[in-house]
Amino acid sequence: MEHKHHIVVVGGGAGGLELVTRLGNRLGRKGKARITLVDAGLTHVWKPLLHEVASGSLDASANEINYRAHARKHHYEFQLGRMTGLDRQDHRIVIAPFHDSEGNEVVPERHIRYDTLVLAVGSTANDFGTPGAQDHCLFLDSLPQARRFHNLMLNAFLRKNHYAKEGHDHQLPITIIGAGATGVELAAELRLASRELPVYGMNHLSPGDIRVSVIEAADRILPALPARLSLAATRELQNQDVQVLTGQPVAEVRKNVVVMKDGTEIPSEMTIWAAGIKAPEWLGRLDVETTRGNQVAVKQTLQSVTDPDIFAFGDCAACPQPGSDRPVPPRAQAAHQQADTLFKTLRHRLDGGEPVPFVYHDHGSLINFSRYTTVGNLMGNLSGRSMYVEGKVARLFYASLYRMHQNALHGPVRTAIIWAMDRVSRAMQPRLKLH
Ligand SMILES: Cc1cc2nc3c(=O)[nH]c(=O)nc-3n(C[C@H](O)[C@H](O)[C@H](O)COP(=O)(O)OP(=O)(O)OC[C@H]3O[C@@H](n4cnc5c(N)ncnc54)[C@H](O)[C@@H]3O)c2cc1C
């Protein structure tokens, strides 16, 4: 049988799923190459939506894509499983055995051979080894974690509502550690939940009973973004009665308490870690060069510096940027652009062509304060200068990043239909997911 070039993409997230969709449509469909996606989960939800899933302002199932169904439609194969190893000499990856929720082995360890391997396995939160963080914090790295947060939050609201009815202490302190975009947006989402839930029967609670705080070690929130944005975001959080604590790192997290470096103890019944990211630790054990944060070291072409048959992109790769000593930032925007470049490279590669260097275009940063407002800066394409935007215009640009992702996965017609259906279901359903 004729050997077809086999491209294996590990990780069907913001970047990986866009890449396999395009490869499947262009190469898989015509039989020019065999395309396989490996993912540890059965479904895809775009990661920047996870804080909305956690707070309940978005129903994940309406935004979930089943990999098997998507693979069939877009001419690639799907393998469920978690990659754990790599044999570069033999061009094989190792997939760990798959167990069901009761611990029964469903599929044993497997090996998949590749001609070209693409790693797009994303990142996880980085707790920087803070004592107690793993035991007492919630994380928002995956859909199951976002759903767990949502259930815990609903139960906490229910419990406090009961206490309030009985005349007991019923304040619910919630602390978010890390005031980057994720932490700030989550704070606004939680404030929305605290305002909406009393409407749905938990009427012994008032929004002020839910005390939301964000903690940032740097001296301002959103430290990676321009100062003007930090200022606007701080004002917005304060308007929403969110406490903002800056200028001191967290030293330890205990059950119901966050301990600051100076020893101050902050009561916290739900603590969410949203400070910093790192690539998964198992990447650092593979036989390819990685950085201290476990990111695969790649050239500007997204090709591993160790092995020309291995590519990596998105959050799990450290890709240099010309004229800067910082790698491409770990953002959905970057993963989307890299998927585009890598698609061109992999197509050329089949004909023996050279890989295309990746150049990151920062289109700006937008921070969405749930249904309240959106603020941000947009980069002028020609001038390279940034422009401050807020309100409806900013909201439109914010939403467009997700629409671009949907467009890459479904094409323009289905994206327009999904958009229309979203509007209808928003009008028909409660503003919060209540289960
Ligand atoms: C709450 C939140 C809000 C965010 N908001 C924004 C935003 O507004 N704008 C923005 O630009 N960025 C945002 N980001 C960052 C953005 O989500 C990431 O930069 C982006 O998702 C990275 O894409 P990726 O393809 O590298 O990885 P991911 O999208 O994380 O996908 C990784 C995939 O790999 C799979 N995987 C992991 N390990 C394995 C394994 N061992 N084997 C097989 N599969 C595996 C996972 O199941 C997942 O499907 C946000 C992040 C979070 C958490």
Side-chain angles (χ1 to χ4, degrees):
M1 213 170 79
E2 183 209 355
H3 173 77
K4 253 188 219 159
H5 188 97
H6 191 192
I7 302 174
V8 176
V9 178
V10 186
L17 190 57
E18 292 190 9
L19 178 65
V20 282
T21 307
R22 294 188 71 181
L23 290 172
N25 287 343
R26 291 298 288 270
L27 304 178
R29 189 161 69 91
K30 294 183 184 148
K32 290 190 172 172
R34 188 178 153 209
I35 317 295
T36 299
L37 170 68
V38 179
D39 199 282
L42 273 170
T43 59
H44 162 87
V45 168
W46 196 55
K47 199 172 179 184
L49 298 178
L50 289 184
H51 60 296
E52 294 181 43
V53 175
S55 70
S57 66
L58 186 98
D59 183 355
S61 42
N63 288 271
E64 226 171 337
I65 294 174
N66 182 294
Y67 287 123
R68 286 192 200 291
H70 194 259
R72 189 176 136 78
K73 205 160 181 232
H74 296 279
H75 314 278
Y76 63 89
E77 296 167 34
F78 173 66
Q79 289 269 351
L80 173 65
R82 190 168 284 282
M83 176 177 167
T84 49
L86 169 69
D87 180 342
R88 286 204 296 118
Q89 270 63 45
D90 226 13
H91 278 64
R92 277 185 301 144
I93 58 166
V94 182
I95 311 288
F98 181 71
H99 295 95
D100 66 17
S101 54
E102 281 159 38
N104 304 313
E105 186 175 286
V106 181
V107 190
E109 180 177 287
R110 281 153 295 156
H111 291 190
I112 300 177
R113 281 183 173 277
Y114 63 84
D115 295 299
T116 301
L117 175 65
V118 181
L119 297 169
V121 292
S123 60
T124 58
N126 189 353
D127 66 15
F128 306 102
T130 307
Q134 285 299 318
D135 294 330
H136 303 296
C137 287
L138 295 157
F139 295 88
L140 280 186
D141 291 328
S142 63
L143 185 58
Q145 287 178 347
R147 285 193 162 130
R148 174 161 179 257
F149 179 97
H150 182 64
N151 290 336
L152 290 171
M153 184 193 81
L154 287 183
N155 288 343
F157 276 59
L158 210 59
R159 191 169 59 245
K160 296 294 176 177
N161 188 58
H162 175 73
Y163 289 168
K165 193 167 139 206
E166 302 286 308
H168 300 309
D169 176 24
H170 55 271
Q171 295 230 314
L172 174 62
I174 304 182
T175 310
I176 300 163
I177 302 174
T182 304
V184 169
E185 292 189 353
L186 178 64
E189 290 292 341
L190 293 177
R191 180 49 75 220
L192 179 84
S194 73
R195 293 210 167 113
E196 291 287 322
L197 277 174
V199 179
Y200 296 108
M202 299 193 198
N203 44 12
H204 296 282
L205 283 183
S206 67
D209 294 330
I210 316 300
R211 291 190 358 240
V212 183
S213 309
V214 280
I215 299 178
E216 172 55 54
D219 59 5
R220 61 181 174 93
I221 66 168
L222 301 171
L225 301 183
R228 182 174 179 190
L229 255 185
S230 297
L231 210 66
T234 306
R235 236 187 348 253
E236 189 54 40
L237 286 181
Q238 285 165 346
N239 283 345
Q240 292 173 20
D241 198 20
V242 170
Q243 192 187 13
V244 179
L245 302 163
T246 54
Q248 216 189 128
V250 166
E252 187 184 352
V253 185
R254 298 194 202 128
K255 187 166 192 275
N256 296 343
V257 181
V258 174
V259 185
M260 304 300 293
K261 193 175 168 211
D262 69 359
T264 311
E265 296 192 357
I266 298 170
S268 177
E269 287 189 38
M270 291 184 79
T271 309
I272 303 100
W273 192 278
I277 60 137
K278 62 177 181 195
E281 263 157 39
W282 60 270
L283 278 181
R285 295 192 289 273
L286 300 184
D287 176 24
V288 287
E289 188 177 322
T290 50
T291 63
R292 269 187 28 211
N294 306 318
Q295 285 177 309
V296 178
V298 295
K299 300 180 194 163
Q300 213 194 319
T301 53
L302 304 170
Q303 206 161 22
S304 152
V305 297
T306 318
D307 187 328
D309 293 334
I310 299 178
F311 294 79
F313 77 109
D315 286 8
C316 76
C319 174
Q321 299 191 80
S324 166
D325 51 3
R326 295 179 134 200
V328 173
R331 299 172 65 185
Q333 199 186 135
H336 172 78
Q337 292 176 26
Q338 288 179 331
D340 206 38
T341 302
L342 204 44
F343 168 68
K344 291 180 192 136
T345 289
L346 297 182
R347 257 182 57 198
H348 291 176
R349 192 171 155 84
L350 287 185
D351 307 322
E354 288 298 309
V356 181
F358 173 70
V359 180
Y360 177 54
H361 298 285
D362 186 351
H363 295 306
S365 303
L366 293 154
I367 310 295
N368 188 39
F369 292 86
S370 192
R371 304 211 176 152
Y372 304 109
T373 188
T374 304
V375 299
N377 65 319
L378 296 175
M379 304 301 282
N381 275 353
L382 295 177
S383 64
R385 298 226 324 254
S386 77
M387 181 177 70
Y388 178 80
V389 285
E390 67 177 284
K392 283 196 173 131
V393 178
R395 168 89 36 118
L396 199 71
F397 280 102
Y398 182 84
S400 68
L401 189 57
Y402 184 40
R403 298 297 169 206
M404 271 156 61
H405 179 63
Q406 289 179 314
N407 185 42
L409 304 185
H410 307 298
V413 175
R414 279 199 75 199
T415 301
I417 295 171
I418 294 170
W419 174 79
M421 279 165 57
D422 281 352
R423 292 195 72 93
V424 173
S425 72
R426 280 206 177 224
M428 308 279 290
Q429 284 168 1
R431 283 161 75 107
L432 277 188
K433 189 168 184 288
L434 302 164
H435 60 276

